[in-house]
Amino acid sequence: MRLQPVQAAPMQEQVLQTGYAREIARSILDAMDWTVGGTVDGLVTSDEVAASRPAPYLVFHAMEAAGVTAVDRVLVAGDTPNDLAAGHNAGARYVVGVLTGATPATELGRHRHTHLLDSAADLPTLL
């Protein structure tokens, strides 16, 4: 689950997509005092798609939730090889590896990506 909020430019939707089931994702959001419709605009969970990462379905469902129809308007950020593969498989314009997770930079850098960032807090520099 991507847990770092991003300050987006106006009119950009922020939809959290996670490999967790909705019940687990909701409890994590609640513990962080995050809300759908507040902190993030939408939530898509693995139990809502036919297959989780590296399949592109979480990304596609997030696009639907945001009303986005063009993958060239999509940024997918993650800290695992499967996150990057899902972004690539979806054809996202930006596929961003974030180095604050458990995957070392040397490993994450071996997978298709457009950017590697030290932190999700650096994402606004790409927007």
Side-chain angles (χ1 to χ4, degrees), residues 71-127:
V71 293
D72 68 346
R73 295 186 53 220
V74 174
L75 181 150
V76 174
D79 61 1
T80 69
N82 275 346
D83 294 332
L84 299 183
H88 173 76
N89 290 339
R93 178 177 184 178
Y94 298 103
V95 178
V96 182
V98 179
L99 302 177
T100 51
T103 308
T106 53
E107 170 64 18
L108 206 56
R110 286 189 213 126
H111 299 272
R112 291 182 177 179
H113 62 278
T114 59
H115 300 79
L116 287 178
L117 299 177
D118 289 330
S119 167
D122 298 328
L123 285 169
T125 64
L126 300 177
L127 303 177

Side-chain angles (χ1 to χ4, degrees), residues 21-43:
R22 182 162 286 273
E23 182 178 331
I24 295 168
R26 281 283 188 187
S27 64
I28 293 170
L29 292 177
D30 289 347
M32 295 177 58
D33 201 26
W34 282 28
T35 59
V36 175
T39 315
V40 295
D41 298 304
L43 173 65

Side-chain angles (χ1 to χ4, degrees), residues 52-67:
S52 192
R53 298 179 194 110
Y57 307 127
L58 284 166
V59 177
F60 293 154
H61 279 263
M63 289 173 63
E64 288 176 328

